[in-house]
Amino acid sequence: MDWKGRDVISIRDFSKEDIEFVLKTAERLENELNEKGALDYARGKILATLFFEPSTRTRLSFESAMHRLGGSVIGFSSAASTSVKKGESLADTIKTVEQYSDVIVIRHPMEGAARLAAEVAEIPVINAGDGSNQHPTQTLLDLYTIKMAFGKIDGLTIGLLGDLKYGRTVHSLAEALTFYDVELYLISPELLRMPKHIIEELREKGVKVHEMTDLEGAIPELDVLYVTRIQRERFPDEEEYMKVKGSYRVNLEVLRKAKETLKVMHPLPRVDEIHPEVDKTKHALYFRQVFSGVPVRMALLGLTLGVLEV
Amino acid sequence: MPENLKIEVIPEGTVIDHIPAGKWLKVVEILHLTKPNGGTLLIASNVPSKKLGRKDIVKVEGRYLSEEEVNKIALIAPMATVNIVKDYKIVEKFNVEIPDEVVGILHCPNPNCVSNHEYVLPRFRVESREPLKLRCHYCERTIEGEEILGNL
């Protein structure tokens, strides 16, 4: 696979080999970073971060990754201060920004915006979230976190908890997990069940899927519990949100029934789904998960810029 | 009574046969034949058919179809056949075919899809032909059934 100039738009564009290659490259970079402190693969290269809607965490993670690679960063963190406010098309913004940079990372409220940007730009474009569609780098860092924690992904039993209906991260993660030999527990309130077409796809691809509403029933089986926030902003009406708000709370009491080796993940930010008392336990993997964003994004930036040896 | 006696023949134009019964109006709509355009428009609905059980037929006088129009018909009536008539004779006959990619024909029903906001041709990849299921190239949402018909 020729990575130089490649766009990273959707996890659907990736094969298992692609995913494994990114994870391996991220591991290599993480080790190099630990040894040397700073790297200079991307010296002289510029990353443009175009955040048409705010996402501090993802933006900082990409910026950190580019700095760690020895490159530099330009960009904006909301559309309010850009020519978009003046009515400029997305295509024109992209064509302009590519004159200033070597790689573009885009976060946009509209679904498909990253795909359109990639069609317009001649430099690589990386999707940092397009509406409720895709967030492929989050999925890759989730997989990387699991792999680093267990040394493997195959053979694990993974629970996805919370908002499985609107949660973009769990949709892409579930899709990516079809490449692996895993068993999935989908735990959510009835109102927030995983969309039928995704469950069908999982089953068609041979993943053993259990759907349930009860966390306590599932927890003894799990190697990984991936918790999501029930996102108020995704609900069409407040009443629906109020019915499911605070449905699950992962605390020490709940974890008493878990395997000792269970790891709890969360794409963060959290509200009240995981009690802070869990942070100090060996189950908590979510801050390590945040860190994983850096080597994974370093790998993607380095590969698409063509500055890493493949 | 033989079917061809029920529907008048046309001297020049196109006969679209094997439309699923009840879908003739959609065919007329997507070909923009709802307004008088000079030629005669003949419609037969609920005609017995060996292939479909019941079918509709649309005959358009003095009009031939573009590739885009044929592709649109394929989305509504994948079993349809198109007959080109010249001087009262069928000079060409072909089956419509659903292409691998549907470009510029139907809009994405997702109001938040970028294709509904930017200057771009809507594009769908055909995921399955039977039943017909399309995936938007941009927002990746899949659409099927009535949702496809409603957005043509």
Side-chain angles (χ1 to χ4, degrees):
Chain A
M1 163 53 71
D2 192 3
W3 278 87
K4 188 177 178 179
R6 186 176 175 181
D7 303 305
V8 179
I9 304 303
S10 166
I11 205 73
R12 307 180 70 86
D13 301 337
F14 280 69
S15 65
K16 183 174 181 180
E17 290 67 36
D18 292 334
I19 292 174
E20 290 287 311
F21 184 68
V22 173
L23 304 190
K24 225 162 88 185
T25 308
E27 190 176 349
R28 186 186 108 195
L29 289 170
E30 188 179 333
N31 290 336
E32 277 187 53
L33 205 54
N34 286 338
E35 269 172 40
K36 298 177 189 166
L39 308 176
D40 64 355
Y41 289 111
R43 182 179 296 172
K45 301 288 184 189
I46 297 174
L47 159 68
T49 54
L50 312 187
F51 278 62
F52 290 87
E53 66 175 14
S55 170
T56 312
R57 194 176 309 267
T58 305
R59 185 171 56 83
L60 292 182
S61 169
F62 269 109
E63 292 187 4
S64 170
M66 191 59 175
H67 287 305
R68 297 263 191 232
L69 275 178
S72 47
V73 182
I74 57 171
F76 53 82
S77 54
S78 88
S81 56
T82 70
S83 296
V84 173
K85 265 280 184 206
K86 300 172 191 161
E88 185 179 54
S89 70
L90 175 62
D92 280 4
T93 306
I94 298 294
K95 280 185 205 157
T96 304
V97 170
E98 75 171 329
Q99 310 302 320
Y100 309 142
S101 53
D102 302 291
V103 57
I104 289 173
V105 167
I106 180 172
R107 157 72 67 112
H108 200 283
M110 274 179 212
E111 285 107 53
R115 179 80 67 194
L116 176 60
E119 286 176 351
V120 170
E122 286 179 23
I123 61 174
V125 172
I126 300 176
N127 185 5
D130 58 333
S132 59
N133 182 32
Q134 283 274 332
H135 193 359
T137 64
Q138 176 72 45
T139 303
L140 290 165
L141 79 86
D142 289 341
L143 293 173
Y144 181 70
T145 310
I146 296 172
K147 196 158 187 189
M148 294 306 278
F150 291 89
K152 61 173 188 176
I153 298 172
D154 285 320
L156 297 178
T157 300
I158 299 172
L160 305 178
L161 174 75
D163 176 5
L164 307 187
K165 181 178 179 185
Y166 299 110
R168 166 178 71 190
T169 55
V170 279
H171 296 171
S172 320
L173 180 59
E175 268 173 37
L177 286 170
T178 61
F179 288 127
Y180 296 91
D181 174 24
V182 293
E183 195 167 336
L184 285 186
Y185 280 76
L186 307 177
I187 313 146
S188 71
E190 281 293 339
L191 269 174
L192 296 177
R193 286 169 71 166
M194 182 73 91
K196 219 172 103 194
H197 70 273
I198 297 183
I199 294 177
E200 278 167 14
E201 196 179 333
L202 290 169
R203 289 199 167 122
E204 272 167 27
K205 291 185 175 163
V207 178
K208 200 168 175 196
V209 176
H210 311 268
E211 274 194 282
M212 50 214 300
T213 54
D214 165 35
L215 170 61
E216 296 202 0
I219 207 155
E221 309 300 323
L222 304 178
D223 298 304
V224 175
L225 176 63
Y226 191 100
V227 187
T228 63
R229 179 168 62 96
I230 294 181
Q231 306 167 92
R232 179 181 229 135
E233 65 272 21
R234 302 270 182 222
F235 280 77
D237 69 82
E238 182 75 7
E239 210 176 301
E240 199 189 352
Y241 170 71
M242 294 312 285
K243 283 184 204 161
V244 291
K245 180 184 165 225
S247 297
Y248 301 102
R249 286 206 170 87
V250 178
N251 52 28
L252 295 183
E253 178 63 31
V254 170
L255 289 173
R256 204 160 286 154
K257 293 179 183 134
K259 288 181 190 172
E260 266 187 41
T261 51
L262 170 80
K263 296 294 180 197
V264 179
M265 296 173 67
H266 191 304
L268 301 178
R270 65 177 153 176
V271 183
D272 54 5
E273 313 83 45
I274 303 176
H275 195 283
E277 66 194 7
V278 178
D279 297 1
K280 292 193 189 89
T281 71
K282 54 190 177 305
H283 298 299
L285 194 61
Y286 29 92
F287 292 115
R288 161 68 214 198
Q289 187 182 355
V290 171
F291 170 75
S292 295
V294 177
V296 167
R297 287 168 174 140
M298 284 170 78
L300 291 168
L301 289 167
L303 289 169
T304 58
L305 282 167
V307 297
L308 296 178
E309 276 174 39
V310 176
Chain B
M1 188 192 298
E3 173 194 306
N4 57 1
L5 293 182
K6 286 187 195 167
I7 320 161
E8 196 179 329
V9 289
I10 53 170
E12 307 276 335
T14 306
V15 176
I16 305 153
D17 199 355
H18 300 108
I19 301 165
K23 293 276 168 62
W24 67 268
L25 181 60
K26 200 72 208 174
V27 170
V28 166
E29 274 173 7
I30 62 170
L31 296 178
H32 301 294
L33 302 172
T34 45
K35 288 175 188 161
N37 63 349
T40 305
L41 173 67
L42 297 167
I43 291 148
S45 186
N46 219 25
V47 177
S49 158
K50 279 184 198 155
K51 205 163 148 188
L52 299 176
R54 293 273 167 184
K55 67 176 180 179
D56 293 351
I57 304 167
V58 171
K59 297 188 176 191
V60 198
E61 192 187 349
R63 173 98 140 68
Y64 302 99
L65 304 184
S66 66
E67 192 186 338
E68 187 188 312
E69 287 172 327
V70 172
N71 286 343
K72 277 186 180 182
I73 290 169
L75 297 179
I76 299 167
M79 305 285 277
T81 48
V82 176
N83 303 278
I84 309 295
V85 180
K86 284 188 178 156
D87 198 16
Y88 294 98
K89 286 187 190 126
I90 293 173
V91 295
E92 195 186 339
K93 181 174 185 165
F94 56 90
N95 297 320
V96 299
E97 218 173 290
I98 298 170
D100 292 335
E101 208 178 26
V102 177
V103 183
I105 291 179
L106 74 159
H107 294 285
C108 181
N110 172 7
N112 203 36
C113 176
V114 76
S115 67
N116 290 316
H117 299 270
E118 291 276 327
Y119 183 69
V120 61
L121 273 182
R123 282 168 69 180
F124 293 82
R125 199 177 62 245
V126 177
E127 290 246 312
S128 132
R129 288 185 160 76
E130 187 55 50
L132 184 60
K133 187 171 165 187
L134 308 175
R135 187 181 292 277
C136 175
H137 169 73
Y138 290 100
C139 75
E140 304 190 12
R141 182 181 285 195
T142 55
I143 55 169
E144 44 197 313
E146 289 300 314
E147 216 174 3
I148 294 174
L149 298 182
N151 284 283
L152 275 167

